[in-house]
Amino acid sequence: MPIYQAPIRDYQFVLGELLNIYQQDNLSGFDEFDPELIDAVLQGVADFTTDIMLPLNGSGDVEGCRLVEGKVITPQGFIDAYQQYVDNGWATLTCDPEYGGQGLPEVVGIFATEMKTATNMAFAMYPGLTHGAYAAIHAHGSEALKAKYLDKLVSGEWTGTMNLTESHAGTDLALLRTKAIPTGDGNYSITGEKIFISSGDHDLTDNIAHLVLARLPDAPEGVKGISLFVVPKILINDDGSLGESNSLYAASLEHKMGIHGNSTCVMNFDAAIGELVGEAHQGLRAMFTMMNQARLGVGVQGLGVSEIAYQNAVAYAKDRIQGRALSGVKQPEQAADSILVHGDVRRMLLSQKAFNQGTRALMGQQALWLDQAQRDCSPEQAKAASKLAALFTPIVKGFVTDQGFKACVDAQQVFGGHGYIHEWGMEQFVRDSRIAMIYEGTNGVQALDLVGRKILSDKGATLQAWSGQVKQLIQSNIANEAMKPYLDGLMDAAGDLEKATGYIATNASKNPDLIGAASMPYMQILGITALAWMWTRSAETALAALANGSDEVAFYQDKLNTAQFYMNYWAVQTRSLRKQIQAASEGIMAFDDSAF
Amino acid sequence: MPIYQAPIRDYQFVLGELLNIYQQDNLSGFDEFDPELIDAVLQGVADFTTDIMLPLNGSGDVEGCRLVEGKVITPQGFIDAYQQYVDNGWATLTCDPEYGGQGLPEVVGIFATEMKTATNMAFAMYPGLTHGAYAAIHAHGSEALKAKYLDKLVSGEWTGTMNLTESHAGTDLALLRTKAIPTGDGNYSITGEKIFISSGDHDLTDNIAHLVLARLPDAPEGVKGISLFVVPKILINDDGSLGESNSLYAASLEHKMGIHGNSTCVMNFDAAIGELVGEAHQGLRAMFTMMNQARLGVGVQGLGVSEIAYQNAVAYAKDRIQGRALSGVKQPEQAADSILVHGDVRRMLLSQKAFNQGTRALMGQQALWLDQAQRDCSPEQAKAASKLAALFTPIVKGFVTDQGFKACVDAQQVFGGHGYIHEWGMEQFVRDSRIAMIYEGTNGVQALDLVGRKILSDKGATLQAWSGQVKQLIQSNIANEAMKPYLDGLMDAAGDLEKATGYIATNASKNPDLIGAASMPYMQILGITALAWMWTRSAETALAALANGSDEVAFYQDKLNTAQFYMNYWAVQTRSLRKQIQAASEGIMAFDDSAF
């Protein structure tokens, strides 16, 4: 069975040393957090995920969910584990204290999510979707709706879902057909079929709050005619007790490549009773306000699964003996050397390690921007943080899940033939992590969102603001010879980013389709540069710690070595990506449809 | 269900126009082949694979193989399909006419294998492994062994397997423990356990010829003490009829990520009766002589699955409507445009198309080198071809299966959420194609073989010989302005290859471990450059056809456009790969084991 060691020391580094969250006194509520509290929370999540969730990951994959007489049965052990999850209060971490939450910041919550995803992505999706439903009602629901749902969703006593996709309408929600008809008593009758509904039905809780996008009878066409409703599985009496079953059901379970432990349902709503969340016809806007957070939640799946895959690949590489080092026998007491002596095995592992740690720092930064956007007492700084979070949302979702999947494939490769066999767990990591590149907006949609909405639509102003931070980092370290290797890598990548941005800005107005053609290599350049930025900051922090006489010399020296490897192996990739954009984008659109 | 259209026109282009196989009069037997014959063979395989094998691909994946009372049951329909395969003579194509084969060249056989793999990789492995067993006995067996086995293996009446791996000995066969003890009557008693045995047991045929690596009692240690045996499932009487069951059995079926329709077995040999193939202690050498062919057979799996994945992604992209083109509505009669209007969808599809067609040409070239090595009447040219085939073996296996897998992932991505659902077939292509990166030597082993054995051990002489052909191609076209775009791309890639080779040659002696650290990016550079070479030759051929007034203007123009895209999108990747080698290789080995 796969092992897992929660990267607690790295969380401490990112939170306490790199992002200085304990000095963010301008953020409301942050003064209540101290390292002891946060460490205790993270250690608690680490213990729960490792002891309770991880043992159910492989068995949940084999067993999967079953639809029996109209009800979904989750894999053995999930009910008990979920009850413990609720009892221990892990559902409440980042929720509003007014509804029973602990009010912890996103920058802590994101790492709890990483551990949950790493140990059992399918299981983690039940509370993950619940949090989305909580956030939607919290942000847009009436006081009555909040009173009805939020306590239960915060505690985890009920779960939630997001019902967007229909078989003909995925990316393009303008096409959706589910109808909502007012019933005259303030409620709505919802009718339609939704597909790909994660956690759509299950046996973990007594009730499920379905958030459903549908059209009112007077709705304008397209995306401006979509409204958001909450539709409970079991109707709720005025006193909060549960009443009759609502008119909705899981019509079938999707047969998926992975995340078998999560019940991905086709949901039928047949004149089901629901209530409007927010304003009529404003459903899409309501979804969009939660998008940065939801996409960060998916992005961290790319990191979480990549991290556990890496840890297991390292353990296997140290244990498995096969062949001898090219430079001569390293372990003469054994019949062969461990495969960790081989350069290509090291290359794969270091690539994963540099990606995981760099991404963890970026995830923390992104979550902190989201916290700042909500909690900074200066409205100006909150707005600036909000814009930066929006800019980097496609990166933490699209870039991270793309590269996280590739890292899982590499980790599987370290196992040789055993990587292809279920019992070792590696092929499940590949299958599970694959979905994160698709849902919550495919990564192609992320790339288009990045170039079209986040770069071009504000004429690059937010990108400029971020680039200003990068330049400031370079300036403030340029005189320090020890920082040169990291600054060189960062400057090279940032230079390619600037040129790629210039090319797109110059050519997009003449040829709008070029935005799409160039978007994916562009997203990769920005992602790689963003990680180079985090690695440069990490190196700066590590050098300062060593200069201050820290006794954790090995830890900080390893940060420096890995930063150096990142620059030499990852950051150099921007050159070819930039050339791809400049050389290929126009040609991509020139092909006639018949050429495909 | 996935569709498939065999790329017959492209086969004709590669065989008749690019490689000129009908003008290879110096190759023994080639004068018997004409375009009509070869076209008929290819069309026959196309019909069989599309009509009979493809419909069993998805069902075979869902049903998988079962081990019932010690016998393996293949998925429904496999027995009947296999019988048709044998009855139609498809097993015999490239086999020796002396044993009932048709004596067709590898350069034709490779494309039959592409079609078989594309339509049903798991099914195709039964005859694929049989061909390996045929080749082993044909090359190394005594006349008596040949008489006993070859007719049956050629016709497909029996199948074959290759038993190399043991649980502790995969890449490093020196560690293997299976024992062979002479029984005094010229036979051997074989005892041991083998894992990952493709087609290890099944119900398709009456008998199975297991090729087994084992150690004789007096064997020297390590790889020089391994002998090759043929061990039949059912013992064969002197008159060729089947006798009693041999003492061997499938102990279990491996639970795999994909290729579920193929029975991958743990095989137990318990004093099973076998016969020696070739000389004692020369088993590994016997395996090595078949390696180029076996690895080409695995490499073409990367191409085959990538091709069918591409075709289905194109069909989906044309059919699925979602959103509007950035440059304005393209299909106003529909509620949305087809997703083929989106630049990122086009980018993914064109990347696959350029890879598939370029790889198909390279596969043909590699197969032709193998034919030349065996059939060229000039021993010198045969030797030169043999060396080129050896050089490019890691490319057609390692580079092609790596990129073929990525192409499948991209094709799956085009489907959005539907790509993750089994019914669409795309996730199966990803799961199936993944194994080709692992078996027959992991791709990391391929990369090490390339740099260590194929480049450095002959001081780059074979690489130089090939580079000479590249330079000649450039020289002979440099005056042709129409060839400039392709030559520019080829020269850039070849320049990076030369620099990367120089770096490794200079540094490897000081730091042998660097060979492993640099090997994977190096294999990619050579692979990309090799495809640039094939695309330049394809462009040259297409321009000539157009100049000669061909009426297939669209076909040849598309070759030119795709060659151009290849240079702009694929060939530009060598720059960053070269920088990776130069910057990162030394650093990779510098990390202490404790850093992982």
Side-chain angles (χ1 to χ4, degrees):
Chain A
M1 203 187 73
I3 54 156
Y4 181 66
Q5 179 86 44
I8 298 283
R9 181 65 188 90
D10 211 31
Y11 295 147
Q12 292 169 332
F13 175 76
V14 173
L15 294 173
E17 302 169 58
L18 197 61
L19 301 176
N20 295 312
I21 69 160
Y22 305 111
Q23 278 87 52
Q24 306 275 342
D25 296 336
N26 52 328
L27 301 185
S28 110
F30 267 57
D31 53 346
E32 292 168 26
F33 314 127
D34 59 42
E36 287 68 31
L37 171 73
I38 300 301
D39 283 359
V41 168
L42 292 172
Q43 190 58 55
V45 177
D47 292 343
F48 179 81
T49 53
T50 310
D51 298 344
I52 306 299
M53 288 174 63
L54 181 60
L56 299 175
N57 196 32
S59 59
D61 178 62
V62 171
E63 197 183 331
C65 293
R66 288 170 298 141
L67 184 61
V68 179
E69 294 173 5
K71 292 182 188 311
V72 171
I73 318 267
T74 56
Q76 212 165 357
F78 272 41
I79 292 178
D80 185 51
Y82 186 78
Q83 193 57 49
Q84 289 186 59
Y85 181 81
V86 172
D87 292 347
N88 291 350
W90 299 128
T92 65
L93 293 184
T94 59
C95 296
D96 186 346
E98 193 177 333
Y99 301 97
Q102 299 187 45
L104 287 170
E106 289 299 327
V107 74
V108 173
I110 193 66
F111 295 135
T113 305
E114 186 199 330
M115 290 184 270
K116 288 189 276 182
T117 303
T119 51
N120 197 325
M121 178 166 160
F123 183 94
M125 289 172 67
Y126 294 102
L129 271 295
T130 304
H131 198 79
Y134 153 82
I137 296 172
H138 189 266
H140 301 284
S142 65
E143 288 308 314
L145 269 191
K146 289 185 190 178
K148 202 167 179 176
Y149 283 97
L150 289 188
D151 283 354
K152 304 283 193 184
L153 290 173
V154 168
S155 70
E157 194 178 334
W158 297 349
T159 65
T161 71
M162 308 300 275
N163 288 248
L164 283 68
T165 303
E166 301 177 8
S167 64
H168 62 286
T171 297
D172 190 353
L173 290 169
L175 304 175
L176 71 79
R177 294 182 192 139
T178 296
K179 284 181 183 147
I181 298 169
T183 53
D185 59 356
N187 288 330
Y188 295 83
S189 167
I190 313 287
T191 300
E193 186 183 83
K194 297 285 183 176
I195 66 168
F196 302 157
I197 306 309
S198 301
S199 318
D201 189 37
H202 58 75
D203 52 9
L204 303 180
T205 57
D206 293 336
N207 205 4
I208 302 173
H210 296 288
L211 277 286
V212 182
L213 289 184
R215 285 185 191 288
L216 289 164
D218 60 345
E221 278 199 6
V223 292
K224 290 177 179 167
I226 297 170
S227 305
L228 181 65
F229 301 86
V230 57
V231 187
K233 176 181 174 181
I234 309 292
L235 293 167
I236 302 155
N237 298 321
D238 289 345
D239 65 357
S241 64
L242 293 184
E244 292 184 6
S245 290
N246 204 348
S247 184
L248 62 91
Y249 58 98
S252 64
L253 287 168
E254 311 274 14
H255 303 117
K256 306 182 303 278
M257 185 182 192
I259 49 168
H260 293 158
N262 191 270
S263 57
T264 310
C265 298
V266 175
M267 294 301 298
N268 270 20
F269 297 87
D270 183 15
I273 301 300
E275 292 176 79
L276 186 65
V277 181
E279 301 292 309
H281 316 317
Q282 300 293 322
L284 211 65
R285 218 170 67 176
M287 299 305 301
F288 264 88
T289 60
M290 298 174 304
M291 197 170 275
N292 292 338
Q293 214 150 24
R295 289 183 170 175
L296 177 61
V298 170
V300 82
Q301 296 178 334
L303 169 61
V305 185
S306 172
E307 172 66 29
I308 191 170
Y310 165 73
Q311 291 187 17
N312 283 277
V314 167
Y316 186 84
K318 288 183 173 177
D319 186 57
R320 175 79 171 174
I321 64 168
Q322 210 79 178
R324 291 294 187 186
L326 294 174
S327 54
V329 174
K330 292 285 179 290
Q331 293 159 311
E333 73 286 4
Q334 297 179 162
D337 290 338
S338 87
I339 62 172
L340 190 60
V341 302
H342 299 302
D344 191 55
V345 171
R346 284 173 172 257
R347 178 192 62 79
M348 290 190 280
L349 294 173
L350 286 172
S351 173
Q352 295 159 49
K353 175 179 168 157
F355 169 74
N356 290 346
Q357 292 187 15
T359 297
R360 186 168 295 122
L362 183 67
M363 288 282 165
Q365 176 62 75
Q366 173 78 353
L368 185 59
W369 280 328
L370 290 174
D371 283 323
Q372 288 168 338
Q374 295 209 325
R375 302 189 186 220
D376 201 304
C377 35
S378 147
E380 256 176 50
Q381 292 190 1
K383 196 173 171 196
S386 174
K387 285 191 169 179
L388 285 168
L391 172 65
F392 278 93
T393 287
I395 299 299
V396 297
K397 196 284 184 185
F399 172 74
V400 169
T401 61
D402 271 354
Q403 302 302 329
F405 172 76
K406 285 182 192 161
C408 289
V409 171
D410 270 354
Q412 179 189 27
Q413 189 73 12
V414 171
F415 280 68
H418 299 284
Y420 202 65
I421 304 298
H422 182 271
E423 283 79 354
W424 290 87
M426 303 305 287
E427 61 92 32
Q428 182 187 348
F429 295 141
V430 172
R431 287 186 290 106
D432 285 355
S433 65
R434 181 69 182 88
I435 188 59
M437 299 159 68
I438 296 173
Y439 60 19
E440 195 59 40
T442 66
N443 286 357
V445 169
Q446 304 300 323
L448 195 57
D449 175 61
L450 173 66
V451 181
R453 286 208 196 92
K454 307 295 172 58
I455 304 280
L456 294 176
S457 76
D458 76 351
K459 295 193 167 54
T462 309
L463 182 69
Q464 287 288 337
W466 175 71
S467 299
Q469 293 191 30
V470 173
K471 281 176 189 146
Q472 202 174 0
L473 178 70
I474 294 168
Q475 274 313 313
S476 65
N477 285 284
I478 199 89
N480 183 354
E481 189 60 26
M483 282 295 288
K484 186 171 187 314
Y486 321 111
L487 295 179
D488 283 352
L490 175 61
M491 286 190 284
D492 270 1
D496 284 325
L497 175 65
E498 199 174 326
K499 291 193 185 77
T501 308
Y503 173 83
I504 293 176
T506 307
N507 292 282
S509 54
K510 289 180 277 185
N511 181 0
D513 286 324
L514 185 140
I515 297 167
S519 60
M520 184 57 76
Y522 186 86
M523 182 165 77
Q524 292 183 65
I525 295 177
L526 181 52
I528 290 169
T529 309
L531 260 56
W533 177 54
M534 297 314 300
W535 270 118
T536 303
R537 291 169 61 184
S538 296
E540 182 188 38
T541 303
L543 283 171
L546 290 172
N548 287 335
S550 165
D551 56 5
E552 290 184 284
V553 174
F555 176 80
Y556 292 111
Q557 189 56 50
D558 187 61
K559 281 282 176 205
L560 294 174
N561 296 346
T562 310
Q564 176 70 78
F565 175 80
Y566 181 85
M567 298 307 170
N568 292 347
Y569 187 81
W570 276 87
V572 297
Q573 296 176 30
T574 55
R575 188 59 44 89
S576 287
L577 291 162
R578 195 245 295 169
K579 289 170 64 123
Q580 272 187 338
I581 291 175
Q582 293 171 337
S585 305
E586 280 194 65
I588 285 173
M589 300 315 299
F591 278 81
D592 191 79
D593 285 6
S594 63
F596 292 87
Chain B
M1 202 188 74
I3 56 158
Y4 181 65
Q5 179 87 43
I8 297 285
R9 181 66 189 90
D10 211 33
Y11 294 147
Q12 292 169 332
F13 175 77
V14 173
L15 294 173
E17 303 170 60
L18 197 61
L19 302 176
N20 295 310
I21 71 159
Y22 305 111
Q23 278 86 53
Q24 306 274 342
D25 295 335
N26 52 326
L27 301 185
S28 110
F30 266 58
D31 53 345
E32 292 168 28
F33 314 126
D34 59 42
E36 288 68 33
L37 172 73
I38 300 301
D39 282 0
V41 168
L42 291 173
Q43 190 58 55
V45 177
D47 293 344
F48 179 81
T49 53
T50 311
D51 299 343
I52 307 299
M53 288 173 62
L54 180 59
L56 299 175
N57 196 31
S59 60
D61 178 64
V62 171
E63 197 183 331
C65 293
R66 287 170 300 140
L67 184 62
V68 179
E69 294 174 6
K71 290 180 189 313
V72 171
I73 318 269
T74 56
Q76 214 164 357
F78 272 42
I79 291 179
D80 185 50
Y82 185 77
Q83 194 55 51
Q84 290 186 59
Y85 180 81
V86 171
D87 291 347
N88 291 348
W90 300 128
T92 66
L93 294 182
T94 58
C95 295
D96 186 346
E98 193 176 337
Y99 301 98
Q102 299 188 45
L104 287 169
E106 289 298 326
V107 73
V108 173
I110 192 67
F111 295 136
T113 305
E114 187 200 330
M115 291 184 269
K116 288 188 277 183
T117 303
T119 51
N120 197 326
M121 179 167 158
F123 183 95
M125 289 172 67
Y126 294 102
L129 271 294
T130 304
H131 197 78
Y134 154 82
I137 297 172
H138 190 267
H140 302 284
S142 64
E143 288 309 312
L145 269 191
K146 290 185 190 178
K148 202 166 178 176
Y149 283 98
L150 290 189
D151 284 354
K152 303 284 192 183
L153 291 173
V154 168
S155 69
E157 195 178 331
W158 298 348
T159 64
T161 70
M162 308 300 275
N163 288 250
L164 283 68
T165 303
E166 299 176 10
S167 65
H168 62 287
T171 296
D172 190 353
L173 290 169
L175 305 175
L176 71 79
R177 294 180 194 141
T178 297
K179 284 183 184 145
I181 298 169
T183 53
D185 59 355
N187 289 328
Y188 296 83
S189 167
I190 313 287
T191 300
E193 186 183 81
K194 297 285 183 175
I195 64 168
F196 303 157
I197 306 308
S198 302
S199 318
D201 189 37
H202 57 75
D203 51 8
L204 304 179
T205 57
D206 293 336
N207 205 4
I208 301 172
H210 297 289
L211 276 286
V212 183
L213 289 183
R215 284 186 192 285
L216 289 164
D218 61 344
E221 278 199 9
V223 292
K224 290 179 179 163
I226 298 170
S227 305
L228 180 64
F229 300 86
V230 57
V231 188
K233 176 181 174 182
I234 309 292
L235 294 167
I236 303 155
N237 299 321
D238 289 344
D239 65 356
S241 64
L242 295 182
E244 293 186 3
S245 291
N246 205 348
S247 183
L248 61 91
Y249 59 96
S252 64
L253 286 169
E254 311 274 12
H255 304 115
K256 307 182 302 276
M257 185 182 194
I259 50 166
H260 293 158
N262 191 270
S263 57
T264 311
C265 299
V266 175
M267 294 300 297
N268 270 21
F269 296 87
D270 184 13
I273 301 300
E275 292 177 79
L276 186 65
V277 181
E279 302 293 308
H281 315 318
Q282 299 294 321
L284 211 66
R285 219 171 65 178
M287 299 306 301
F288 263 90
T289 61
M290 299 175 304
M291 196 170 277
N292 293 336
Q293 213 150 23
R295 289 182 170 175
L296 177 62
V298 170
V300 82
Q301 296 178 334
L303 169 60
V305 185
S306 173
E307 172 66 30
I308 190 169
Y310 166 73
Q311 291 188 16
N312 283 277
V314 167
Y316 186 85
K318 289 183 173 176
D319 186 60
R320 176 78 172 175
I321 63 168
Q322 210 79 179
R324 292 294 188 186
L326 295 174
S327 54
V329 174
K330 292 285 178 290
Q331 293 160 310
E333 73 286 3
Q334 297 178 162
D337 291 337
S338 86
I339 62 171
L340 191 59
V341 303
H342 300 303
D344 190 55
V345 171
R346 285 174 171 256
R347 178 192 62 77
M348 290 190 281
L349 293 173
L350 286 171
S351 172
Q352 295 159 48
K353 175 180 168 157
F355 168 75
N356 290 346
Q357 291 187 15
T359 297
R360 187 169 294 122
L362 183 66
M363 288 283 165
Q365 176 62 74
Q366 173 78 355
L368 185 59
W369 280 328
L370 290 174
D371 283 323
Q372 288 168 340
Q374 295 210 324
R375 302 189 186 219
D376 203 303
C377 35
S378 147
E380 257 177 47
Q381 292 190 1
K383 197 175 170 195
S386 173
K387 284 190 170 180
L388 286 167
L391 173 64
F392 278 92
T393 286
I395 300 299
V396 296
K397 196 286 183 182
F399 172 75
V400 169
T401 61
D402 271 354
Q403 302 302 328
F405 171 77
K406 285 182 192 159
C408 289
V409 171
D410 270 354
Q412 179 188 27
Q413 190 73 12
V414 170
F415 279 69
H418 299 285
Y420 202 65
I421 305 297
H422 182 270
E423 284 78 353
W424 290 88
M426 303 305 286
E427 61 92 31
Q428 183 187 348
F429 296 142
V430 172
R431 286 186 291 105
D432 285 355
S433 65
R434 181 67 182 88
I435 189 59
M437 299 159 68
I438 297 172
Y439 60 19
E440 194 59 39
T442 66
N443 286 356
V445 169
Q446 303 300 322
L448 195 56
D449 175 59
L450 173 67
V451 180
R453 284 207 198 93
K454 306 299 172 57
I455 304 279
L456 293 176
S457 75
D458 77 352
K459 296 193 166 52
T462 309
L463 181 70
Q464 286 288 338
W466 175 70
S467 298
Q469 294 191 31
V470 173
K471 280 176 190 145
Q472 200 173 0
L473 177 69
I474 294 168
Q475 274 313 312
S476 64
N477 285 284
I478 199 88
N480 183 355
E481 189 61 24
M483 282 295 289
K484 188 171 186 315
Y486 321 111
L487 295 179
D488 283 352
L490 175 62
M491 285 190 286
D492 270 2
D496 284 325
L497 175 65
E498 199 174 326
K499 291 194 186 78
T501 308
Y503 174 82
I504 293 175
T506 307
N507 292 282
S509 55
K510 287 180 279 185
N511 181 358
D513 287 324
L514 185 141
I515 297 168
S519 59
M520 183 58 75
Y522 186 85
M523 183 165 77
Q524 292 183 65
I525 295 177
L526 181 52
I528 290 169
T529 308
L531 260 56
W533 177 53
M534 296 314 300
W535 270 118
T536 303
R537 291 169 61 183
S538 296
E540 182 187 39
T541 303
L543 283 171
L546 289 171
N548 287 336
S550 165
D551 56 4
E552 290 185 285
V553 174
F555 176 81
Y556 292 110
Q557 188 56 50
D558 187 60
K559 281 283 176 204
L560 294 174
N561 296 344
T562 310
Q564 175 71 79
F565 174 80
Y566 181 86
M567 299 305 170
N568 292 345
Y569 186 82
W570 275 87
V572 297
Q573 296 175 31
T574 54
R575 187 60 44 92
S576 286
L577 291 162
R578 194 239 304 165
K579 288 169 64 122
Q580 271 186 340
I581 291 175
Q582 294 171 336
S585 304
E586 280 193 66
I588 286 172
M589 300 315 300
F591 278 81
D592 190 79
D593 286 5
S594 64
F596 293 87

